[in-house]
């Protein structure tokens, strides 16, 4: 069956691509026993029927050839039926049928079945140069259709270039992914061809964003009629800034031009702030806060910030640690009774493990939660039915899994230790100290279960942006599940770019916490880019701390550079409206820091 590769298949492709053949020879050439001779042939993927692997014995190795792109891999024998890559992270185990014949090969959890009589497709009469030119032409037309960002151009491309099977099974998925690629990159231009195999009628390409620092990578495989039979794509970040800048002024000029381009293309709606210490270097706002009324975003517009306020929860916990009211090694059972989590489990969980997402308590978001009335979540107690659990996902401290439930439990600990409502605590001990006068945990508006979506538009206060989700036909729908963004210890609430700048100033200047507490929060103990309630990136010489937030119609990033004092805040009321722009700004700031 023709289809766009799904994630498990892409993972396999990337894994196999990353393994290089070994140059270490065995002591002797494999003896071609009947079993080894019988291994030779083609094996079909269990789900994606267009994918085949060819197996053959080559000297003292097993040679695996991917039929879809022609890449080869040499594997060492462990026995007559077991083979492994030189580093041991890719293993094959061949299986026999009742007649003692090789019938399948097991790769991980997938069973590829041997298919007698299969032969790869060929395109007769074309030279290598002609196959290359045909693939390049289809790649250029594909990118032109993506950059046009219209349904008609994309549908025309599908109709003119996809095989009949691929067209019938993947058109909707292709359109959605193509539109998403445009929204992430704002359009792309040719960078390089990554790989080409004429015999496999296959090529991989990389096209770079014209404005940002991400790239669109995609692969095309043709059938013998010259139609696309397999297609796969992804958007990923470039490791280096695409523009070499030397000064703040160059960066600001480039940022202003970039934001105007993104605004014109309607791929960004929101507000941006770039600062150094308490000095604002650049501000920008664009798009509509409420589309039906034509109300524009401005630099003081309040946006839902999603998980950004996990930083506030972490700061609150560390403040109480500094006051000696709790310890990072305290068990959860010291603060919460068994109506939340059985005592035997809560005894195993430390406060520090809740902060760095290693407690194994999972996530409270669910369909049942979405159906609950918003009034239930006026206090953290209302989350109990959705946080309560009877077993842990893993033994605390042995693994990592991003956990909203863990942060919610930290909010309850703050309430228990401080004697204050969580929301009042954050308002008094964080917002007030930092001067964040436009921030609050409680979100205005929101659709109650059974209420028309449009009803929420009339609930929003002045200068607060509503969240919008782009559709594949370039229109927008309201984000109708405020349960994802209502304020709690795990996320939600609203703020402005100016207030998050003030938070950064207070955080880095010692107004909120001591230097020693900040060092604990900003330490990447797990080596995965996460500390205590803060996402971490950069290098030891150029540390970056902060957090991102996302939900339907909500996207936000807030980055702080402790050594230089640079600060980046991007808030958007579009899905993924801030992530790609924030990553671009992050890389550009890194380029000017000497």
């Amino acid at each position: 069956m023709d289809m766009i590769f799904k994630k498990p298949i892409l993972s396999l492709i990337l894994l196999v691509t990353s393994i290089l053949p070994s140059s270490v020879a065995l002591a002797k050439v494999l003896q071609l026993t009947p079993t080894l001779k019988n291994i030779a042939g083609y094996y079909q993927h269990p789900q994606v029927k267009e994918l085949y692997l060819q197996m053959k014995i080559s000297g003292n190795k097993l040679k695996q050839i991917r039929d879809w792109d022609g890449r080869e891999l040499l594997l060492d024998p462990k026995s007559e039926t077991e083979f492994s890559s030189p580093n041991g992270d890719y293993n094959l185990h061949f299986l026999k049928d009742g007649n003692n014949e090789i019938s399948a090969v097991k790769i991980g959890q997938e069973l590829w079945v041997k298919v007698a009589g299969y032969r790869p497709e060929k395109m007769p009469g074309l030279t290598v140069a002609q196959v290359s030119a045909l693939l390049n032409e289809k790649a250029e037309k594909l990118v032109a259709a993506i950059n046009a960002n219209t349904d008609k151009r994309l549908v025309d491309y599908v109709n003119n270039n996809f095989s009949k099977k691929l067209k019938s099974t993947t058109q909707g998925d292709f359109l959605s992914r193509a539109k998403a690629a445009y929204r992430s990159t704002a359009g792309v231009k040719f960078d390089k061809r990554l790989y080409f195999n004429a015999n496999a009628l296959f090529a991989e390409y990389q096209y770079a964003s014209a404005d940002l620092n991400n790239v669109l990578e995609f692969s095309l495989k043709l059938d013998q009629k010259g139609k696309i039979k397999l297609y796969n794509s992804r958007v990923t970040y470039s490791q280096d800034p695409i523009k070499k800048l030397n000064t703040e002024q160059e960066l600001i000029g480039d940022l202003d031009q970039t934001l105007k381009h993104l605004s014109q293309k309607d791929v960004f709606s929101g507000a941006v702030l770039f600062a150094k210490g308490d000095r604002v270097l650049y501000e920008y706002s664009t798009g509509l806060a409420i589309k039906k009324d034509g109300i524009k975003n401005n630099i003081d517009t309040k946006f839902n910030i999603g998980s950004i306020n996990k930083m506030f929860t972490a700061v609150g916990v560390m403040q109480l640690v500094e006051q000696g009211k709790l310890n990072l090694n305290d068990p959860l059972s010291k603060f919460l009774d068994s109506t939340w989590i059985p005592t035997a489990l809560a005894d195993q969980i430390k406060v520090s493990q809740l902060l760095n997402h290693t407690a194994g308590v999972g996530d409270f978001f669910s369909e049942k939660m979405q159906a609950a009335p918003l009034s239930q979540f006026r206090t953290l107690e209302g989350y109990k039915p959705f946080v309560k659990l009877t077993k842990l996902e893993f033994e605390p401290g042995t693994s990592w899994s991003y956990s909203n439930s863990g942060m919610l439990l930290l909010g309850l600990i703050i309430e228990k230790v401080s004697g204050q409502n969580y929301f009042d605590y954050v308002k008094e001990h964080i917002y007030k100290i930092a001067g964040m006068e436009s921030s609050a945990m409680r979100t205005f508006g929101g659709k109650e279960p059974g209420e028309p979506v449009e009803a929420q538009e009339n609930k929003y206060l002045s200068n607060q942006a509503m969240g919008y989700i782009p559709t594949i036909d370039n229109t927008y729908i309201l984000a109708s599940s405020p349960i994802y963004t209502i304020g709690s210890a795990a996320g939600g609430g609203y703020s402005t770019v100016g207030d998050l700048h003030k938070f950064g100033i207070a955080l880095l200047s010692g107004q909120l916490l001591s230097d020693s507490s900040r060092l604990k929060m900003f330490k990447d103990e797990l080596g995965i880019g996460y500390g205590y309630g803060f996402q971490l990136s950069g290098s030891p010489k150029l540390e970056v701390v902060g957090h991102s937030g996302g939900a339907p119609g909500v996207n936000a990033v807030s980055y702080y550079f402790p050594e230089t004092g640079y600060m980046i805040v991007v808030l958007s009321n579009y899905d993924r409206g801030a992530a790609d722009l924030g990553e671009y700004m992050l890389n550009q700031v890194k380029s000017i820091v000497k």
Side-chain angles (χ1 to χ4, degrees):
M1 178 178 65
D2 288 301
M3 66 181 295
I4 294 176
F5 299 162
K6 301 302 180 184
K7 286 185 178 179
I9 305 306
L10 179 59
S11 298
L12 169 70
I13 293 171
L14 294 175
L15 169 64
V16 179
T17 304
S18 68
I19 301 172
L20 299 177
S22 170
S23 60
V24 179
L26 295 181
K28 58 182 181 179
V29 174
L30 290 174
Q31 298 298 312
L32 290 181
T33 64
T35 295
L36 288 173
K37 288 180 180 179
N38 193 233
I39 279 175
Y42 287 89
Y43 298 75
Q44 186 181 47
H45 190 273
Q47 283 85 43
V48 186
K49 303 303 182 182
E50 289 290 337
L51 298 183
Y52 288 85
L53 292 171
Q54 183 185 10
M55 303 293 180
K56 60 169 68 173
I57 299 299
S58 178
N60 55 5
K61 304 279 187 178
L62 172 71
K63 180 183 286 188
Q64 172 190 283
I65 305 171
R66 299 193 328 199
D67 176 62
W68 60 88
D69 65 8
R71 286 187 171 96
E72 298 181 1
L73 175 66
L74 294 176
L75 300 157
D76 296 323
K78 303 302 179 186
S79 70
E80 275 194 328
T81 57
E82 295 183 359
F83 297 81
S84 177
S85 61
N87 58 10
D89 63 355
Y90 182 71
N91 300 281
L92 305 183
H93 177 61
F94 290 89
L95 306 178
K96 297 181 180 182
D97 60 18
N99 296 319
N100 207 33
E101 299 287 331
I102 296 294
S103 61
V105 60
K106 190 171 185 181
I107 307 174
Q109 299 302 311
E110 294 176 340
L111 192 67
W112 296 61
V113 178
K114 190 176 183 182
V115 179
Y118 171 77
R119 294 293 180 270
E121 288 185 319
K122 301 293 182 183
M123 193 180 298
L126 292 186
T127 65
V128 171
Q130 288 172 324
V131 173
S132 175
L134 181 58
L135 282 162
N136 289 347
E137 178 187 7
K138 292 192 178 297
E140 283 295 313
K141 288 182 178 179
L142 169 63
V143 168
I146 291 174
N147 285 343
N149 195 37
T150 66
D151 285 355
K152 184 179 186 308
R153 288 288 297 276
L154 290 168
V155 170
D156 285 348
Y157 183 83
V158 169
N159 289 335
N160 294 329
N161 295 279
F162 277 22
S163 69
K164 185 176 180 180
K165 286 184 179 179
L166 187 61
K167 186 191 310 181
S168 65
T169 57
T170 65
Q171 179 166 311
D173 192 19
F174 169 77
L175 293 177
S176 178
R177 292 171 68 180
K179 289 295 185 70
Y182 179 81
R183 297 198 70 84
S184 287
T185 61
V188 294
K189 57 185 178 181
F190 178 77
D191 186 14
K192 55 190 171 185
R193 189 165 71 177
L194 299 171
Y195 177 80
F196 168 66
N197 188 306
N199 291 331
L201 308 177
F202 181 92
E204 292 175 349
Y205 298 88
Q206 180 171 290
Y207 280 72
S209 169
D211 293 303
L212 303 175
N213 71 298
N214 49 21
V215 296
L216 170 65
E217 295 178 352
F218 61 87
S219 62
L220 303 174
K221 180 176 176 64
L222 305 180
D223 63 16
Q224 59 188 355
K225 296 180 181 179
K227 297 291 186 179
I228 299 171
K229 67 180 295 184
L230 289 173
Y231 166 81
N232 182 50
S233 69
R234 66 173 183 168
V235 173
T236 186
Y237 292 114
S238 172
Q239 297 301 310
D240 302 304
I242 60 171
K243 302 169 188 174
K244 302 300 182 183
L245 306 174
N246 296 307
T247 67
E248 286 178 1
Q249 287 305 311
E250 287 182 8
L251 187 151
I252 291 167
D254 173 76
L255 179 58
D256 186 65
Q257 182 182 45
T258 297
L259 280 164
K260 287 175 180 175
H261 288 170
L262 300 182
S263 179
Q264 290 168 0
K265 297 174 181 179
D266 193 30
V267 296
F268 178 69
S269 173
V272 175
L273 180 144
F274 173 49
K276 187 171 186 179
D278 59 4
R279 182 166 57 98
V280 175
L281 302 176
Y282 180 81
E283 294 176 310
Y284 185 89
S285 62
T286 188
L288 296 175
I290 301 180
K291 289 185 179 291
K292 83 175 184 68
D293 296 329
I295 298 175
K296 295 181 178 180
N297 288 320
N298 58 59
I299 207 65
D300 296 316
T301 297
K302 304 176 183 70
F303 294 88
N304 204 300
I305 60 174
S307 288
I308 278 183
N309 76 342
K310 283 183 170 65
M311 295 188 293
F312 307 154
T313 300
V315 168
V317 169
M318 296 304 291
Q319 286 175 336
L320 295 170
V321 169
E322 286 187 349
Q323 296 167 25
K325 295 182 178 180
L326 64 86
N327 189 290
L328 291 173
N329 290 320
D330 282 340
L332 177 59
S333 56
K334 182 176 179 179
F335 309 103
L336 300 182
D337 61 37
S338 60
T339 61
W340 284 91
I341 295 178
T343 302
L345 299 181
D347 281 342
Q348 303 174 43
I349 299 170
K350 298 178 181 179
V351 171
S352 62
Q353 293 165 341
L354 295 170
L355 281 167
N356 65 12
H357 301 282
T358 63
V361 293
D363 209 316
F364 55 66
F365 286 120
S366 65
E367 291 184 4
K368 288 184 178 180
M369 184 180 177
Q370 290 187 62
L374 296 183
S375 58
Q376 178 170 336
F377 306 106
R378 288 174 180 161
T379 67
L380 299 188
E381 188 76 17
Y383 289 84
K384 180 180 286 189
F386 313 105
V387 173
K388 187 176 181 179
L389 51 82
T390 57
K391 64 178 181 179
L392 301 176
E393 289 187 347
F394 49 81
E395 182 182 345
T398 64
S399 187
W400 187 91
S401 180
Y402 190 77
S403 174
N404 286 297
S405 291
M407 281 290 168
L408 196 285
L409 294 171
L410 287 171
L412 291 161
I413 291 174
I414 288 174
E415 290 188 338
K416 178 74 172 181
V417 173
S418 70
Q420 284 185 280
N421 172 283
Y422 170 80
F423 306 105
D424 291 338
Y425 181 92
V426 171
K427 183 176 181 180
E428 179 179 346
H429 298 280
I430 297 175
Y431 293 164
K432 186 176 180 180
I433 292 173
M436 300 167 66
E437 297 179 353
S438 297
S439 300
M441 284 287 188
R442 312 315 288 162
T443 304
F444 299 119
K447 174 183 173 294
E448 293 283 1
E451 183 180 42
V453 173
E454 293 75 13
Q456 66 181 299
E457 292 178 304
N458 301 319
K459 300 179 182 179
Y460 276 58
L461 298 187
S462 62
N463 214 17
Q464 181 179 338
M466 299 183 63
Y468 293 94
I469 303 170
T471 65
I472 63 171
D473 63 357
N474 294 332
T475 60
Y476 295 89
I477 59 175
L478 290 172
S480 58
S481 294
I483 199 67
Y484 288 108
T485 55
I486 190 170
S488 77
Y494 64 86
S495 190
T496 65
V497 292
D499 268 13
L500 289 173
H501 174 217
K502 292 175 182 177
F503 171 74
I505 294 171
L507 177 70
L508 299 184
S509 66
Q511 296 177 55
L512 295 173
L513 289 170
S514 67
D515 291 346
S516 61
S517 290
R518 288 202 313 277
L519 287 174
K520 288 180 182 178
M521 286 200 306
F522 300 164
K523 186 176 181 180
D524 190 3
E525 294 178 340
L526 306 172
I528 59 171
Y530 206 94
Y532 288 167
F534 280 77
Q535 294 168 342
L536 313 175
S537 62
S539 64
K541 293 183 178 180
L542 189 61
E543 184 182 31
V544 183
V545 304
H547 219 288
S548 59
V554 175
N555 203 216
V557 296
S558 190
Y559 299 131
Y560 309 109
F561 292 67
E563 292 91 348
T564 65
Y566 283 121
M567 303 185 195
I568 297 168
V569 185
V570 185
L571 304 181
S572 178
N573 57 334
Y574 281 176
D575 269 12
R576 284 200 61 80
D580 297 298
L581 175 58
E583 187 74 15
Y584 169 74
M585 291 181 65
L586 196 60
N587 275 270
Q588 297 303 81
V589 172
K590 290 177 183 178
S591 74
I592 68 169
V593 177
K594 309 303 180 183

